[in-house]
Amino acid sequence: MGSSCGKGAPFVLRIAVVGSGPSGVYTAQSLVTQSAVPGLRVDVLDRLPCPYGLVRYGVAPDHEKIKSLQNNLRTVLEDERINFLGHVEIGPGGVSPERLLRLYHAVVYCVGASADRRLGIPGEDLPGSCSATDFVSWYSAHPDAGANGFSLEWLTARSAVVIGAGNVAVDVARILSRGADELRPTDVPHAALGALAASRVREVHMVARRGPSQAKFTTKELRELGSLPGAEAGVDAAELALDPACSDPSALPSAVRRNVEVLRGWATADREPRGVERTLRLRFFLRPVEILERDGRVGGVRFEHTAPDGAGGVRGTGTYEEIEAQLVLRAVGYLGVPLAGLPFDPATGTVPHAAGRVLRDGVPSPGEYVAGWIKRGPTGVIGTNRPCAKETVTSLLEDTEALSRRPVEGEPVDAMRESGLRPVQWRGWLDIERAEAELGRSLGRGPVKIADWDGLLTAALGTREG
Ligand code: NAP
């Protein structure tokens, strides 16, 4: 079990990994598998009491196969050289990076990219307009998905616009287009399930500013949109024809060619309508210019038609179109946020580094490393984090000798408690899992996620100290 501290050989190298999503867990795994250091101890810290990061709070509930990756991450966190320490905030109000460096020989930041990009157009903050991240947090039971995020009243919308053509756009378009019965077997929180069951959304428009051959989504995810039981997916043949690559996709890279082939299949006139209650339309070459207001909330989106510029980009055409919608989800990418006490490059939303070593004024900062999205930006699939973590760990292990000479203070968990923190250790997380299974049983469902801080912390800590 990864919960106890102070066991085994004397600690020669004590390492903190900040973040327990895939990049953090793969970093911990690389550390224990690549290192021959005796007495290595890796503490995986997370501000949430639950591990797994975006696998728990980002992967859509109906993607059970990807979610099952949690089982692999669990095996890593149960390694006896690894300790999970949840409910530990790094930064203001918690442990500062400077203090962390006094408690550990080395710290690897795997904190992801938690903010969402904005469009910078009028109307973006109208009620009924929010980031896809807020919607995802809401249906994933993130305990911070509170008052300023997605509001379930917005599901009174009849028409929804999703802006963007990446896999997050596909996720939210699919969840809006699914019936509640399809989501009941998942761990979606009960309140979200009820709200989705009552949803009046019947039309979803997923809108890309460039063409089909520039879309970022992957073919497996695209195909899934075409096989939803209660929604008819469609695309306009005329919009496909605007993309020169669509008329003869044979020369395209295979991933793009497959996307184009799926879309061409949807556009053929001889597809029989299935008479289902929802429609999901993919639109291309439309750039959002304004979110329109009606009766104090979102009423539609005004787009400018674009055309390919011959170099992979688009230019405006000066012609416009409005799509009526009462709900707008912008799915235009994530953004890294600065962590007080760590250097940050606002242009890329990442921490400057050399092969994972954090750079302060261009020079490697002893003991500080990065991996995952905060190192390379919010791109790639979950597996991309493996080689990324490996590179950082290779750098760290090259530095072992110097790192082991850095003086460190006493037991970190004691120090955290003395600072007023109440870390949730592995057994606390197992208690949350048990409470979620129990909640599901009481509702006649499988495990159902607990969606609030109080519920999570009561399950994890009760009255005991972690
Ligand atoms: P993404 O793949 O970068 O897609 C962002 C989309 O937003 C692009 O279509 C982009 O268009 C568009 N966009 C950006 N700025 C815009 C603007 N101002 N106006 C209109 N459109 C704009 O980002 P993501 O969907 O957030 O995904 C992030 C990462 O997570 C990706 O690597 C993704 O594959 C991964 N992910 C994977 C899964 C899965 O495997 N099932 C699920 C979710 C996320 P341009 O191309 O024109 O810039």
Side-chain angles (χ1 to χ4, degrees):
M1 246 356 120
S3 60
S4 70
C5 303
K7 65 205 164 192
F11 298 130
V12 175
L13 202 62
R14 195 196 279 168
I15 298 172
V17 172
V18 182
S20 66
S23 70
V25 177
Y26 291 148
T27 297
Q29 184 176 37
S30 280
L31 281 165
V32 295
T33 51
Q34 280 179 248
S35 155
V37 178
L40 176 75
R41 162 176 158 187
V42 183
D43 285 358
V44 179
L45 316 180
D46 204 297
R47 61 179 285 271
L48 295 175
C50 313
Y52 310 138
L54 277 183
V55 177
R56 178 170 161 95
Y57 288 118
V59 172
D62 58 338
H63 275 178
E64 278 105 349
K65 196 161 168 218
I66 307 180
K67 281 228 171 272
S68 70
L69 194 76
Q70 286 187 10
N71 297 331
N72 303 10
L73 304 184
R74 162 193 288 269
T75 306
V76 176
L77 291 177
E78 289 188 335
D79 186 294
E80 62 171 3
R81 292 160 292 180
I82 298 175
N83 296 306
F84 171 70
L85 292 174
H87 193 216
V88 175
E89 174 110 36
I90 305 305
V95 186
S96 68
E98 189 205 355
R99 175 102 170 99
L100 209 51
L101 215 45
R102 280 189 272 125
L103 292 170
Y104 293 92
H105 294 102
V107 182
V108 189
Y109 290 92
C110 304
V111 292
S114 56
D116 47 80
R117 285 185 189 279
R118 290 180 60 85
L119 292 167
I121 60 172
E124 201 167 354
D125 294 316
L126 281 167
S129 161
C130 76
S131 72
T133 321
D134 284 341
F135 184 54
V136 171
S137 292
W138 172 75
Y139 67 61
S140 302
H142 194 294
D144 288 341
N148 299 323
F150 180 78
S151 165
L152 53 88
E153 284 161 41
W154 297 345
L155 291 174
T156 53
R158 192 185 53 76
S159 168
V161 163
V162 176
I163 298 175
N167 277 332
V168 170
V170 172
D171 275 350
V172 298
R174 189 182 68 253
I175 294 292
L176 283 174
S177 305
R178 278 211 189 277
D181 284 346
E182 296 164 55
L183 294 172
R184 193 175 302 280
T186 74
D187 65 0
V188 74
H190 212 58
L193 185 68
L196 288 165
S199 163
R200 296 196 199 142
V201 175
R202 292 297 174 268
E203 290 170 22
V204 177
H205 308 262
M206 188 176 133
V207 187
R209 62 182 173 179
R210 297 194 288 159
S213 66
Q214 285 100 32
K216 301 255 180 75
F217 44 65
T218 40
T219 310
K220 185 165 170 284
E221 278 62 31
L222 177 65
R223 278 208 186 99
E224 196 180 1
L225 292 184
S227 59
L228 297 175
E232 190 86 66
V235 64
D236 192 341
E239 281 179 1
L240 294 191
L242 284 175
D243 188 339
C246 286
S247 52
D248 177 15
S250 59
L252 291 171
S254 59
V256 179
R257 193 189 66 239
R258 285 195 298 267
N259 278 352
V260 168
E261 282 164 355
V262 171
L263 291 168
R264 290 203 326 174
W266 290 2
T268 52
D270 54 3
R271 282 173 85 220
E272 282 291 318
R274 287 183 290 141
V276 289
E277 70 176 340
R278 296 186 179 88
T279 58
L280 199 176
R281 292 204 70 75
L282 268 65
R283 301 290 313 273
F284 292 96
F285 295 110
L286 290 172
R287 171 156 72 201
V289 291
E290 183 177 359
I291 298 180
L292 306 166
E293 183 253 311
R294 194 157 303 135
D295 302 327
R297 65 181 275 185
V298 167
V301 187
R302 184 169 156 82
F303 292 94
E304 181 181 16
H305 286 277
T306 62
D309 65 2
V314 286
R315 54 177 172 76
T317 62
T319 57
Y320 295 86
E321 173 177 340
E322 288 179 12
I323 300 181
E324 187 201 317
Q326 301 77 38
L327 171 63
V328 173
L329 298 176
R330 50 171 206 278
V332 295
Y334 291 94
L335 203 57
V337 289
L339 181 63
L342 264 197
F344 186 73
D345 177 359
T348 56
T350 58
V351 170
H353 73 95
R357 292 182 180 91
V358 171
L359 297 177
R360 291 185 183 268
D361 300 323
V363 179
S365 168
E368 292 186 304
Y369 301 84
V370 277
W373 280 2
I374 198 64
K375 171 185 171 189
R376 60 174 208 277
T379 56
V381 293
I382 291 170
T384 316
N385 290 298
R386 270 185 189 281
C388 178
K390 197 172 170 196
E391 180 195 57
T392 296
V393 168
T394 302
S395 297
L396 189 155
L397 294 176
E398 281 168 12
D399 302 341
T400 303
E401 212 182 303
L403 293 174
S404 64
R405 284 199 300 269
R406 290 191 59 252
V408 291
E409 296 174 6
E411 167 55 44
V413 178
D414 293 343
M416 288 171 197
R417 289 210 179 106
E418 278 157 23
S419 318
L421 300 177
R422 297 183 72 201
V424 168
Q425 296 193 277
W426 190 250
R427 62 183 170 158
W429 159 244
L430 295 181
D431 286 342
I432 292 176
E433 279 195 321
R434 268 190 288 276
E436 294 188 334
E438 182 51 41
L439 174 63
R441 261 194 300 278
S442 72
L443 297 166
R445 298 176 56 196
V448 169
K449 279 182 182 166
I450 297 172
D452 64 292
W453 276 101
D454 277 355
L456 290 169
L457 292 179
T458 303
L461 294 172
T463 53
R464 74 160 182 262
E465 281 296 311

